[in-house]
Amino acid sequence: MKQEPKKQKLHQKLLSGGVSLLLIVAVCLCLFIVVQVLSHGHASLGGYSCFKVITGSMEPELSVGDLILTEKTEAADIEVNDIVSFYSQAPGMIGNIITHRVVDKIVDEDGTVRLLTKGDANLSMDGYAVTDDNLIGKVIWESGDSLLSDFLSFLSNKYGFLACIAFPALLISILILRDNVGAMKRDMKELVEELEKKETNPSSEDEDNRDGDEETYAQMCDRIRAELMEELKNSDTSEPSEPE
């Protein structure tokens, strides 16, 4: 019967520790993504990057609001009709991320591979070729029109992304506060129980200390009484006698 509370406490600690660890990992992952977005313009984890389609240049294959997942791929491994994401080199759009279809693949004499791209809904090809220098990766998955797409779209905007950071951080704070308050309550309860136990069942050591204190007090009183009596005797003998 006495072991059940201990087991429950152990299970609660393990569960609380596991949840806290998962939340910490989630927050660290979100912060990692934030740093990557701020430094590179997109998030990449293990060579995989996720983007949201914001124009209709690839309709009907990719619609506005769709999410796509790209895998880092060398230009030499890309084939015609593959859809790729890359950094634009066009004036006024340098650094913008574009996702278009490869319509031609050219290999120069020095071995450099150049990919010619075009949006499915565009009338003309892109003005600048894609090379390994500005290629992000090949599209390997698209969300399409689904609940998953709506959910991921929410996470990809600033409010959803903020929720991914704020909510786990809030949960971690609540768990830490709960554990601390619980530990304080347990310590106070144990202290009260220990004091009550001492009051009802004083130990032999406490009794010895108490007896020792009483004996010391009695000795001190006796010493003070003796000193006062001695002082009174001295004062009586020192007074001059009156003449007869």
Side-chain angles (χ1 to χ4, degrees), residues 63-225:
S63 301
V64 176
D66 287 354
L67 294 179
I68 57 175
L69 181 67
T70 66
E71 181 182 14
K72 183 175 177 58
T73 310
E74 300 293 332
D77 298 327
I78 300 295
E79 303 294 339
V80 174
N81 287 327
D82 286 344
I83 300 176
V84 295
S85 294
F86 56 92
Y87 295 107
S88 176
Q89 301 297 313
M93 296 184 62
I94 294 178
N96 289 352
I97 298 174
I98 307 294
T99 300
H100 282 172
R101 190 182 301 277
V102 176
V103 295
D104 198 3
K105 179 178 179 180
I106 301 172
V107 180
D108 295 334
E109 293 181 357
D110 59 358
T112 301
V113 177
R114 294 185 294 123
L115 306 175
L116 303 183
T117 57
K118 173 182 174 297
D120 289 354
N122 293 347
L123 298 178
S124 59
M125 292 191 305
D126 299 326
Y128 292 82
V130 177
T131 64
D132 284 324
D133 293 335
N134 62 326
L135 177 63
I136 296 175
K138 173 184 175 181
V139 176
I140 59 173
W141 176 83
E142 58 184 87
S143 64
D145 186 12
S146 62
L147 292 177
L148 177 61
S149 176
D150 296 337
F151 176 70
L152 293 177
S153 296
F154 168 73
L155 293 182
S156 64
N157 63 43
K158 58 182 180 180
Y159 299 108
F161 196 75
L162 180 62
C164 289
I165 299 177
F167 183 67
L170 180 62
L171 282 180
I172 292 175
S173 301
I174 292 174
L175 288 174
I176 293 175
L177 180 61
R178 186 196 66 180
D179 291 342
N180 290 337
V181 172
M184 291 176 61
K185 287 183 177 179
R186 288 192 298 271
D187 292 341
M188 291 295 294
K189 184 178 179 180
E190 291 176 358
L191 180 60
V192 170
E193 290 177 351
E194 184 177 352
L195 291 175
E196 291 178 349
K197 184 177 178 181
K198 285 186 175 181
E199 290 178 358
T200 55
N201 300 311
S203 63
S204 59
E205 183 179 355
D206 293 336
E207 291 180 353
D208 293 340
N209 292 335
R210 188 179 304 168
D211 295 339
D213 292 340
E214 291 177 355
E215 184 179 354
T216 302
Y217 177 74
Q219 291 176 356
M220 184 175 64
C221 290
D222 293 339
R223 187 174 66 254
I224 293 174
R225 189 181 298 110

Side-chain angles (χ1 to χ4, degrees), residues 2-21:
K2 294 182 179 179
Q3 293 182 352
E4 291 183 359
K6 292 183 178 180
K7 289 183 178 180
Q8 291 179 355
K9 289 182 180 180
L10 179 60
H11 292 161
Q12 290 176 355
K13 288 182 178 180
L14 291 176
L15 179 61
S16 177
V19 173
S20 299
L21 179 61

Side-chain angles (χ1 to χ4, degrees), residues 28-41:
C28 291
L29 180 60
C30 290
L31 293 176
F32 173 75
I33 293 174
V34 168
V35 171
Q36 285 209 328
V37 170
L38 293 177
S39 59
H40 301 97

